[in-house]
Structures are given as C-alpha cells and as structure tokens.
Amino acid sequence: MTNAFAAIRNIYCVGRNYALHAQELGNEVPEEPMIFSKPTHALHPAEGTLQLPDGIGSIHYEAELVVRIGRPYEAGASVDQIIDGLAIGIDWTARDVQSVLKEKRHPWLLAKGFKHSAVLSPFRPFPGVEAFASLDFQLLRNGETVQAGSPRDMIFPLERLVSYIGDTFGLSEGDIIYTGTPAGVGAVKDGDELTLVLNGEAFGPLTISL
C-alpha cells in the first residue's frame, strides 16, 4: 500500500456532498462543490492500527468513495476516459477543532489535514460512471453499520466534481478525489474497530488508537 501511496499526488476532498450529512451538522446544502485538500502525509491504509491525535477533542469518521485520476484532465473529456481507479476511504475530521476554525472563518486544514486523516483502501479498476452511480458502501464500527451510502444520493455527481476540480485546480495522473460522505458520521473511541465495505467487499479491520 505504501508503494501505491507514493504515486498519489494531490488529495482533493468534497464537503457536504450528501444533503442528509449537511443537515445532520446544521449546515446549508451548497450551491456549488465545496473543495478542500489534504497533504499526502495524511494517507493511511484501511487496515492495521490507526494512531489518531489525542487531546484535540472529538474526531469523527466520514466514509467516502474515492476515485483516482489516470490521465491529465481536459475539458470535454469523459469521466470514463479520465478516471482509472476506485477505492473507499475515511476523511477524518477533528470536529471540535473544525468548529473553532469555522467560527473564526479560518481554513479547515488543522481539522482535516493531520497525520493519518485520509484512510484509503487499495484501488480497484473504475467500473464506469454509470456503474459508479449505483454502488453501495458502508462503514462498520465494532461490527455495527454506522454509515451507508450510494453515489446516487450525491448532490454533485461525479461528472460535475471532475469538471469543477479540473477547471478550477487542475487534475492529472495520480490525483485522487474523496467524493463526500453520507449521514451517520460520529466520534471514535480508543479501541474501536472499523471496517469499510464497498459493494460487498470488506477492507480492514482498522483498530483505533488514541
């Protein structure tokens, strides 16, 4: 997995891309994609022991589908031409830190970009944009499903995300996009065991250490 991580360049993440998730945190549904990024040092495989920072308050899991860019973005190119990989991951959020940053209208990096804040499974071949829309994914905590979602519920579909990010920031081979999380986010405790499931394929377990 570390070799696969070495090929990753930019990590783009999409905020509030599921309406119920925005509502559960008391946020407005955005009118255009909300994009933020994480450093590559945030990457961690979706198995083993995950050391999260202690003493910064509540840290929330946010399970998400992740796509990998296989060739440079060009306006007008189809998603099927640009994306070559699919994975599932967790966008970790230091929720208390984020709340303070939002009050001060500061960037979210401290709350979103800390070490190990971007869990990522191995990539599988991208099934195509139509098949992607019908996928299902889940996050299990200690054997219980706490999040379940599908891209068909995304506010901004994959085509819109790719064109928006590509036109605004650029996209090229090795970039990845965390496409947003469904409702059900919550805090983890020391010793929690997490398993990610993508269309029936399980990744993990991931044991939390705080």
Side-chain angles (χ1 to χ4, degrees):
M1 178 63 75
T2 53
N3 290 337
F5 285 174
I8 294 174
R9 300 178 62 193
N10 296 299
I11 303 173
Y12 295 107
C13 303
V14 185
R16 304 179 195 172
N17 201 25
Y18 287 76
L20 292 180
H21 169 58
Q23 292 170 13
E24 73 179 344
L25 297 181
N27 295 318
E28 295 182 359
V29 174
E31 296 182 358
E32 62 180 17
M34 293 180 58
I35 308 300
F36 60 95
S37 65
K38 292 175 181 271
T40 54
H41 296 293
L43 290 166
H44 188 283
E47 62 182 1
T49 299
L50 175 65
Q51 180 69 55
L52 291 173
D54 193 13
I56 63 172
S58 180
I59 300 178
H60 283 202
Y61 51 77
E62 298 187 15
E64 313 197 5
L65 294 184
V66 185
V67 296
R68 182 181 62 201
I69 305 302
R71 53 169 279 188
Y73 169 80
E74 296 177 9
S78 72
V79 167
D80 288 342
Q81 293 176 312
I82 294 171
I83 295 176
D84 72 351
L86 171 70
I88 184 170
I90 301 175
D91 162 23
W92 290 101
T93 303
R95 193 68 70 195
D96 295 335
V97 174
Q98 186 187 44
S99 295
V100 172
L101 294 172
K102 287 166 67 175
E103 288 177 1
K104 295 180 178 180
R105 298 188 177 183
H106 287 182
W108 291 0
L109 186 59
L110 286 174
K112 288 284 195 177
F114 53 87
K115 283 185 178 180
H116 305 162
S117 63
V119 165
L120 187 63
S121 78
F123 278 93
R124 301 290 186 252
F126 184 64
V129 67
E130 290 187 10
F132 174 84
S134 63
L135 293 172
D136 293 294
F137 64 100
Q138 298 85 35
L139 174 65
L140 281 62
R141 180 177 62 185
N142 303 323
E144 177 183 355
T145 300
V146 289
Q147 282 191 282
S150 171
R152 56 181 165 266
D153 297 322
M154 295 196 317
I155 297 169
F156 303 104
L158 193 56
E159 299 94 323
R160 172 73 169 125
L161 297 179
V162 168
S163 63
Y164 184 88
I165 296 171
D167 289 336
T168 306
F169 305 104
L171 281 170
S172 195
E173 183 177 357
D175 293 344
I176 63 175
I177 303 172
Y178 282 67
T179 59
T181 193
V185 302
V188 287
K189 298 181 296 184
D190 184 62
D192 277 351
E193 188 174 277
L194 305 181
T195 302
L196 289 160
V197 182
L198 171 54
N199 245 32
E201 183 178 6
F203 300 93
L206 187 68
T207 302
I208 302 303
S209 177
L210 288 169

